[in-house]
Amino acid sequence: MSASRPPLNKTSPKMTSTVRLPERLLLGPGPANIDPRVMATMQAPVIGHLDPAFMEILAEIADLLRYAFGTVNEMTMAISGTGFSGMDAALANVVEPDDTVIVGVSGFFGGKAAEAVTRLGARPVVVDGGFGSPVTTDAIAQALAAEPDARAVFLVAAETSVGLRQPLAEIGDLVRSAGALYIVDTVTLLGGATVGTDSNNIDVAYAGSQKCVGAIPGTAPITFGPRAAEIIARRSTPVPVWYLDALAIHRYWTNTPFYHHTCSSTLMAGLLEALRIIKAETIEARAARHDRNGQALVAGLEAMGLQIASDPANRLSMLTPVRIPEGINDAEVRAELLQSYGIEIGGGLGDWAGTAWRIGLMGHGSSTENVARVLAALEEALTARGYECQPGSTVAAARQISSD
Amino acid sequence: MSASRPPLNKTSPKMTSTVRLPERLLLGPGPANIDPRVMATMQAPVIGHLDPAFMEILAEIADLLRYAFGTVNEMTMAISGTGFSGMDAALANVVEPDDTVIVGVSGFFGGKAAEAVTRLGARPVVVDGGFGSPVTTDAIAQALAAEPDARAVFLVAAETSVGLRQPLAEIGDLVRSAGALYIVDTVTLLGGATVGTDSNNIDVAYAGSQKCVGAIPGTAPITFGPRAAEIIARRSTPVPVWYLDALAIHRYWTNTPFYHHTCSSTLMAGLLEALRIIKAETIEARAARHDRNGQALVAGLEAMGLQIASDPANRLSMLTPVRIPEGINDAEVRAELLQSYGIEIGGGLGDWAGTAWRIGLMGHGSSTENVARVLAALEEALTARGYECQPGSTVAAARQISSD
């Protein structure tokens, strides 16, 4: 025996899975449907977290993440957790108890960041843009003047709760001049738009794998610039949990025989395939695709007479919040879209719970076909409930944009 | 269009993945190879984390985890992270800054738990069993007498660094009488042995998905008993990171419209399939299988003249540490096993780094065939390096046990 070995995963009657999940078109705030190539990749054999072949995969992931983030940061990797673990890791590594952190809040996720700062025993100074409005450069300038010792300024680049794209560059210049760290949530942006980590002076950025990146939920890409790395190295207290300790994770990602956690080859192979797809399409082409489909969706919804809830001047192409018309039941329409059309859209979050829907077009899911499908389904569901709109005008308006 | 919808994942030339991973027989400390049924299940369509069909899956996972843990605890779920996130979550939820925690240390993972307690701003009181020796009831009794206000006693039920199975019951009685919480790491036990969470008076137990449970790395089953839940509810400080907040995770697992994180349907479907396989085989049968194959491995290694490093009285069946013979190069042999035989075994961890190998037989990987394959490969690799042993006696000794 020995050198000749039988295949490990023999095909047998046991191959048939007993768990069934329904087919869904995922047009909510994430997860999004992913490229079948990514699904196929996750059937690769499971290998160990210290296998030399796996360390090569991690190195390639890090390189492709640098491309997607727009950075040359050495300390670039993916945490084995969902996007929210990225937020916790970003803050927990550079913030120590009693630090002050200026947190811009324009929606639900900014609010969660302020809470995360408090949980770490630090003090959040909230700069409130108002639910759905961007944080202004002036407001951050004032906060920095009032808090000259602030450790960091935190912003959400893409607030999926309100469909807002937060302008980043000017504030980045300001934060850098003030000597604070600039921490930016790019959860919905990465893979669907130019992040500009380095050009925007961002010191820490993180994202999730399940939106525009195009992999399943479960990994959180993250990058720390040299200024952040220096702050981390000089901490006087340890990061409160080992699982999110960036220095240890980075040591694992770059230095083979160090054990941090049992990183999954299945998740990372899927992430790598998704990142290769991004590189092949290019970030610029993906940004244009997301913009075009986002605009088509807005045109269709407006043709239906619906009101888009997001700020027109800073509209996010990947996530469109739309006001629920009067007399229409939120949960009932979402349940019908799911059950009768197989389409998932998101409900409102935070201040907009019950009054808005959120329609996402992310990664592989950002397509002309999906715009048409969700518009047609929504038109039918609303019309059946007495909402008046001109049949067919909706999709026509969207197609007009798509073919421009 | 609308109600009639094309399949989302069309077969196309793009289906071919560009990422290749080698086929490995995983006989280290985890991850282990998994049942092909579990792999097949992960090809199920991706669905949303708030999809009603997904909430049913979470409920069934919780039920099957109660079976595997041996508990009726309502607060039973799986964290979206690897086993180490389970350790951090177990401690971070019930320990507050300035608390005292008695931590039994018999190997690497006990040491990490003591470090985790320190990171939380609490005080670990280490009860050192010695690297490779169990923590005694007397030693815990003394520690509890000296620290009557200790919040908790922490033990590792299966120290994979040293192949030690820690006796749990007597200490459980003691801890309960003292009014402290009993927190137990069952990372290597769950799915391969009786855990006895309730019968051993364990208040918090956690595990990983990638060992005897039989799923890929990436989820950490965890259970909190009513006494732990009460402590959590009465905390005076928040859990330092939202991602590991047990109350919030449990609210998500049991109460549909609450957003905690984007839980992966792919990972959870795989975990559910693995748990259904456990239930069908039964915990008792799996424990017997792990015991039998562990004993066969030990018999084979001893027939080869090798010294088993683990304590004979408290030997762990899933993980066998073996002393590296003098003059044999650790890394060289492991590299040859991997490259020429496709077999991964583990290196030593902590005090035993460089002086021991660790051979794991876990979950789907605990089989007579795998015992024979690793023994034959190791015999060949050692013989080629001048180590003397009687050819073939190794596997014969193992087979003797298997057929008993």
Side-chain angles (χ1 to χ4, degrees):
Chain A
M1 60 165 301
S2 70
S4 85
R5 43 196 163 98
L8 299 177
N9 292 341
K10 298 166 207 153
T11 302
S12 76
K14 287 176 68 188
M15 274 293 289
T16 308
S17 160
T18 69
V19 177
R20 294 274 171 276
L21 294 182
E23 193 98 14
R24 303 289 197 211
L25 178 57
L26 300 172
L27 301 179
N33 295 112
I34 66 180
D35 193 306
R37 251 175 70 182
V38 175
M39 291 301 284
T41 303
M42 289 189 297
Q43 288 296 91
V46 173
I47 66 172
H49 51 293
L50 297 173
D51 195 305
F54 190 45
M55 300 316 291
E56 285 175 28
I57 282 185
L58 296 187
E60 188 180 340
I61 288 174
D63 268 347
L64 290 171
L65 285 178
R66 287 182 192 103
Y67 168 71
F69 273 121
T71 186
V72 297
N73 289 342
E74 161 59 19
M75 204 167 170
T76 302
M77 54 217 183
I79 290 168
S80 294
T82 71
F84 241 122
S85 73
M87 178 186 281
D88 280 329
L91 291 166
N93 279 282
V94 301
V95 175
E96 294 195 69
D98 304 324
D99 278 350
T100 295
V101 180
I102 296 167
V103 181
V105 177
S106 297
F108 178 83
F109 292 93
K112 291 305 292 181
E115 181 193 322
V117 169
T118 304
R119 283 175 179 258
L120 293 167
R123 185 174 69 101
V125 172
V126 169
V127 175
D128 198 340
F131 210 86
S133 300
V135 176
T136 65
T137 309
D138 279 356
I140 294 292
Q142 283 171 31
L144 280 167
E147 302 286 348
D149 296 329
R151 162 63 53 95
V153 171
F154 178 98
L155 284 183
V156 180
E159 249 298 352
T160 37
S161 60
V162 294
L164 175 79
R165 181 147 183 186
Q166 167 70 45
L168 296 175
E170 260 186 32
I171 294 178
D173 291 341
L174 205 62
V175 176
R176 180 63 57 99
S177 305
L181 291 180
Y182 195 24
I183 310 173
V184 178
D185 175 320
T186 65
V187 168
T188 302
L189 229 47
L190 192 73
T194 306
V195 173
T197 299
D198 291 353
S199 61
N200 286 323
N201 286 320
I202 298 170
D203 297 295
V204 186
Y206 64 89
S209 52
Q210 78 277 14
K211 302 188 195 243
C212 298
V213 171
I216 67 159
T219 67
I222 195 163
T223 184
F224 295 89
R227 298 167 72 249
E230 210 181 301
I231 294 278
I232 295 173
R234 283 206 221 131
R235 289 180 67 100
S236 59
T237 59
V239 176
V241 296
W242 168 252
Y243 196 67
L244 300 180
D245 186 306
L247 282 185
I249 298 170
H250 188 239
R251 193 175 159 202
Y252 163 64
W253 270 63
T254 51
N255 190 0
T256 304
F258 177 75
Y259 172 64
H260 176 264
H261 71 289
T262 307
C263 192
S264 164
S265 65
T266 306
L267 287 182
M268 291 299 166
L271 177 60
L272 174 55
E273 186 75 4
L275 291 169
R276 284 184 180 174
I277 290 170
I278 289 176
K279 184 76 185 294
E281 186 178 358
T282 79
I283 287 287
E284 291 72 20
R286 287 173 78 91
R289 173 163 63 83
H290 282 82
D291 284 347
R292 192 177 58 245
N293 290 319
Q295 286 159 17
L297 177 65
V298 165
L301 293 169
E302 287 181 337
M304 221 187 289
L306 294 170
Q307 195 197 337
I308 310 301
S310 52
D311 172 9
N314 297 285
R315 191 162 278 166
L316 195 61
S317 62
M318 302 89 172
L319 197 288
T320 301
V322 51
R323 296 269 170 231
I324 299 172
E326 261 189 58
I328 298 293
N329 183 291
D330 171 22
E332 193 186 290
V333 170
R334 280 194 289 132
E336 178 167 330
L337 289 180
L338 194 69
Q339 302 305 336
S340 305
Y341 300 83
I343 298 177
E344 176 182 276
I345 65 169
L349 205 54
D351 290 6
W352 289 0
T355 66
W357 291 312
R358 293 181 300 149
I359 305 178
L361 293 165
M362 299 176 179
H364 186 63
S366 174
S367 70
T368 307
E369 182 199 350
N370 288 347
V371 170
R373 283 178 63 187
V374 69
L375 286 172
L378 195 57
E379 189 183 291
E380 284 188 6
L382 289 178
T383 305
R385 280 162 184 78
Y387 180 82
E388 285 181 30
C389 60
Q390 198 163 357
S393 62
T394 314
V395 173
R399 287 210 192 283
Q400 180 63 37
I401 302 280
S402 300
S403 59
D404 272 356
Chain B
M1 61 166 303
S2 70
S4 84
R5 45 197 164 99
L8 299 177
N9 292 342
K10 297 166 207 152
T11 303
S12 78
K14 289 176 68 189
M15 273 294 288
T16 309
S17 160
T18 68
V19 178
R20 294 275 171 275
L21 293 181
E23 194 99 13
R24 303 288 197 212
L25 179 57
L26 300 172
L27 301 179
N33 295 113
I34 66 179
D35 193 306
R37 248 173 73 181
V38 175
M39 291 301 284
T41 302
M42 290 189 296
Q43 288 295 90
V46 173
I47 66 172
H49 51 292
L50 297 174
D51 194 305
F54 190 46
M55 301 316 292
E56 285 176 28
I57 282 185
L58 296 187
E60 187 180 342
I61 289 174
D63 267 348
L64 290 171
L65 285 178
R66 286 183 193 103
Y67 168 70
F69 273 121
T71 185
V72 297
N73 289 342
E74 160 60 18
M75 205 167 168
T76 302
M77 55 217 182
I79 289 168
S80 294
T82 71
F84 240 123
S85 74
M87 179 186 280
D88 279 329
L91 292 166
N93 279 284
V94 301
V95 175
E96 294 195 69
D98 304 323
D99 278 350
T100 295
V101 180
I102 296 168
V103 181
V105 177
S106 298
F108 178 82
F109 292 93
K112 291 304 292 182
E115 180 192 322
V117 169
T118 305
R119 283 175 179 259
L120 292 167
R123 185 174 69 103
V125 172
V126 169
V127 176
D128 199 341
F131 209 87
S133 300
V135 176
T136 64
T137 307
D138 279 356
I140 294 292
Q142 283 170 33
L144 280 167
E147 302 287 348
D149 295 330
R151 161 63 53 95
V153 171
F154 178 98
L155 284 183
V156 180
E159 249 298 352
T160 38
S161 61
V162 293
L164 175 79
R165 179 142 184 190
Q166 166 70 46
L168 296 175
E170 260 186 32
I171 295 179
D173 290 343
L174 205 64
V175 176
R176 181 63 55 99
S177 304
L181 291 180
Y182 194 25
I183 309 174
V184 178
D185 175 320
T186 65
V187 167
T188 302
L189 230 47
L190 192 73
T194 304
V195 173
T197 299
D198 290 354
S199 61
N200 286 323
N201 286 321
I202 297 169
D203 297 296
V204 186
Y206 64 89
S209 50
Q210 79 277 13
K211 301 187 196 244
C212 299
V213 171
I216 68 160
T219 66
I222 195 164
T223 184
F224 294 89
R227 297 167 71 250
E230 209 180 303
I231 294 278
I232 295 173
R234 281 205 223 132
R235 287 180 69 98
S236 59
T237 60
V239 175
V241 297
W242 167 251
Y243 196 67
L244 300 180
D245 186 306
L247 282 185
I249 297 170
H250 188 240
R251 191 174 159 202
Y252 164 64
W253 271 63
T254 51
N255 189 0
T256 304
F258 176 74
Y259 172 64
H260 176 265
H261 71 288
T262 307
C263 192
S264 165
S265 65
T266 305
L267 287 181
M268 291 299 165
L271 177 60
L272 174 54
E273 187 75 4
L275 292 170
R276 284 184 180 174
I277 290 169
I278 290 176
K279 184 75 185 295
E281 186 178 358
T282 79
I283 288 288
E284 291 73 19
R286 288 173 79 90
R289 173 163 63 84
H290 282 83
D291 284 347
R292 191 176 61 243
N293 290 319
Q295 286 159 18
L297 177 66
V298 166
L301 292 168
E302 286 180 338
M304 220 187 290
L306 294 172
Q307 194 197 336
I308 310 302
S310 51
D311 172 10
N314 297 284
R315 191 161 278 167
L316 195 61
S317 62
M318 302 87 173
L319 197 286
T320 302
V322 51
R323 297 266 170 234
I324 299 171
E326 262 189 58
I328 298 292
N329 184 292
D330 171 23
E332 194 185 289
V333 170
R334 280 193 289 130
E336 178 167 329
L337 289 180
L338 194 68
Q339 303 303 335
S340 304
Y341 299 83
I343 298 177
E344 176 182 278
I345 66 168
L349 205 54
D351 290 5
W352 290 359
T355 66
W357 291 312
R358 292 182 300 148
I359 305 178
L361 294 166
M362 299 175 178
H364 185 65
S366 174
S367 69
T368 308
E369 181 198 350
N370 288 347
V371 170
R373 282 178 64 186
V374 70
L375 286 173
L378 195 57
E379 188 182 291
E380 284 188 6
L382 289 178
T383 304
R385 281 163 183 76
Y387 179 83
E388 285 182 29
C389 60
Q390 198 163 355
S393 61
T394 314
V395 172
R399 288 210 192 281
Q400 180 63 40
I401 301 280
S402 299
S403 60
D404 273 355

